[in-house]
Amino acid sequence: MLSKLQKASDKVGLFLQNKPFSTAWLQFQFQRHFHMERKNSSKVQGLYDFCKKTFTPSGTPPPSSQAVRDLCSLLDTVGPADVGLEEQSSDDDRGLGFSGLYGLNRVARWAQPITYLDIFECDSFTMCIFCFPTSAVIPLHDHPGMTVFSKVLYGSMHVKAYDWVEPACFQETKGPGYRPVRLAKLATDKVLTPQYGTSVLYPKSGGNLHCFTAVTPCAVLDILTPPYNEDAGRKCTYYVDYPFPTFSAVNGAEVSNEKEEYAWLSEIDTPDDLYMRPGVYAGPAILV
């Protein structure tokens, strides 16, 4: 048996020696297969590959302006079908975005929560999707030390966002148990659709504190870098906003004559009515 295997091996070696093109041919076939795989890879895989080589667990250095532009360009091409979702009509207010749950009646639809789909998470970034029924709200919250990319996949979503005024300006509120308020400036107050493209918020600009409200059934794809991590000081905190005239400006705060551009934010506990549940991501698998 061993002698037969040796003879077979010798024949293979002799064949390769007499075929000088064989190594180049093998390399060509490998490269061809590699490029075909890249061509056929999913958009989600492309997002993962880019994030994996670009982002760090600490968030430092922050993404370069070129990296931000490149990732926005990738996200701008992503639609519902690319992540396993079905675009919902205005008559379907469940906000679930994927098939298999059409047996719910209209009463049950209105009781449906926001659905969270986890695509991928590591120490450097999180990729996820939020599917909203009409009028569902993710309350005002922050992203400490984080850069967040958001792309509406279908539907319409109202975004209201603030950035802290620097230097920090606080005002004590009256009454036991009341928390101080901090001055913030309005950064965004508009309705986003898929045609708007990707929006980006930064640690200190771009609307780091924001609130989402579904105008119609909608879904938003988020990439957060680095992700929330309480041990690293990146805890998600919720706030309520008060019009600027509610409190007096103190500590030398400078505001423009456009007082409606400013608001006082007060930290609150996680809202009891934040109704969110995990769903199952049904899009293309990611090769890690």
Side-chain angles (χ1 to χ4, degrees):
M1 176 64 71
L2 289 176
S3 61
K4 289 182 179 180
L5 290 175
Q6 184 63 47
K7 289 180 180 179
S9 176
D10 291 342
K11 288 182 178 180
V12 171
L14 182 62
F15 173 79
L16 292 176
Q17 290 176 11
N18 293 331
K19 299 291 184 180
F21 60 86
S22 59
T23 301
W25 181 84
L26 289 172
Q27 292 176 342
F28 168 77
Q29 291 297 325
F30 173 80
Q31 292 175 354
R32 177 172 175 269
H33 176 74
F34 175 76
H35 288 301
M36 287 182 64
E37 286 295 317
R38 287 191 62 183
K39 182 178 179 181
N40 296 329
S41 65
S42 68
K43 292 181 180 179
V44 173
Q45 184 69 47
L47 292 173
Y48 165 82
D49 291 340
F50 183 89
C51 294
K52 191 68 175 178
K53 70 180 182 181
T54 304
F55 300 140
T56 62
S58 65
T60 55
S64 67
S65 57
Q66 184 61 55
V68 170
R69 287 193 295 269
D70 290 345
L71 183 52
C72 286
S73 295
L74 291 174
L75 282 166
D76 286 345
T77 69
V78 178
D82 297 314
V83 290
L85 298 183
E86 294 180 355
E87 184 169 351
Q88 302 298 291
S89 69
S90 59
D91 186 56
D92 189 347
D93 289 318
R94 294 166 303 133
L96 298 174
F98 46 86
S99 58
L101 296 172
Y102 288 108
L104 299 173
N105 59 32
R106 180 163 291 277
V107 173
R109 287 178 181 181
W110 287 108
Q112 291 304 306
I114 299 168
T115 303
Y116 174 84
L117 306 177
D118 181 23
I119 300 177
F120 180 83
E121 182 171 0
C122 65
D123 291 340
S124 299
F125 63 94
T126 294
M127 297 172 57
C128 60
I129 299 171
F130 295 93
C131 300
F132 296 74
T134 299
S135 300
V137 176
I138 294 182
L140 187 63
H141 61 284
D142 65 354
H143 307 82
M146 301 160 64
T147 301
V148 181
F149 301 77
S150 297
K151 171 64 165 62
V152 176
L153 299 171
Y154 65 78
S156 301
M157 181 179 69
H158 178 260
V159 178
K160 188 173 186 180
Y162 297 93
D163 288 309
W164 294 121
V165 169
E166 298 292 351
C169 177
F170 293 92
Q171 169 75 322
E172 295 296 327
T173 55
K174 297 180 179 181
Y178 284 82
R179 294 170 176 171
V181 293
R182 182 176 176 182
L183 189 62
K185 184 176 183 180
L186 186 66
T188 300
D189 188 7
K190 58 188 172 184
V191 174
L192 303 183
T193 64
Q195 291 70 36
Y196 180 83
T198 302
S199 59
V200 187
L201 64 82
Y202 302 92
K204 295 184 180 298
S205 64
N208 186 271
L209 304 97
H210 66 197
C211 171
F212 290 163
T213 303
V215 179
T216 69
C218 60
V220 59
L221 170 60
D222 271 0
I223 296 179
L224 304 86
T225 179
Y228 285 114
N229 183 334
E230 290 193 29
D231 292 337
R234 298 190 298 273
K235 175 186 177 182
C236 182
T237 303
Y238 291 91
Y239 297 86
V240 61
D241 55 345
Y242 298 97
F244 180 78
T246 305
F247 303 96
S248 300
V250 294
N251 298 338
E254 296 183 2
V255 299
S256 66
N257 293 329
E258 303 295 331
K259 298 295 191 296
E260 64 272 14
E261 294 184 0
Y262 294 85
W264 296 97
L265 307 189
S266 178
E267 181 179 337
I268 61 173
D269 296 330
T270 302
D272 293 333
D273 57 354
L274 178 56
Y275 191 16
M276 191 177 298
R277 71 178 181 186
V280 178
Y281 169 64
I286 293 176
L287 300 177
V288 300

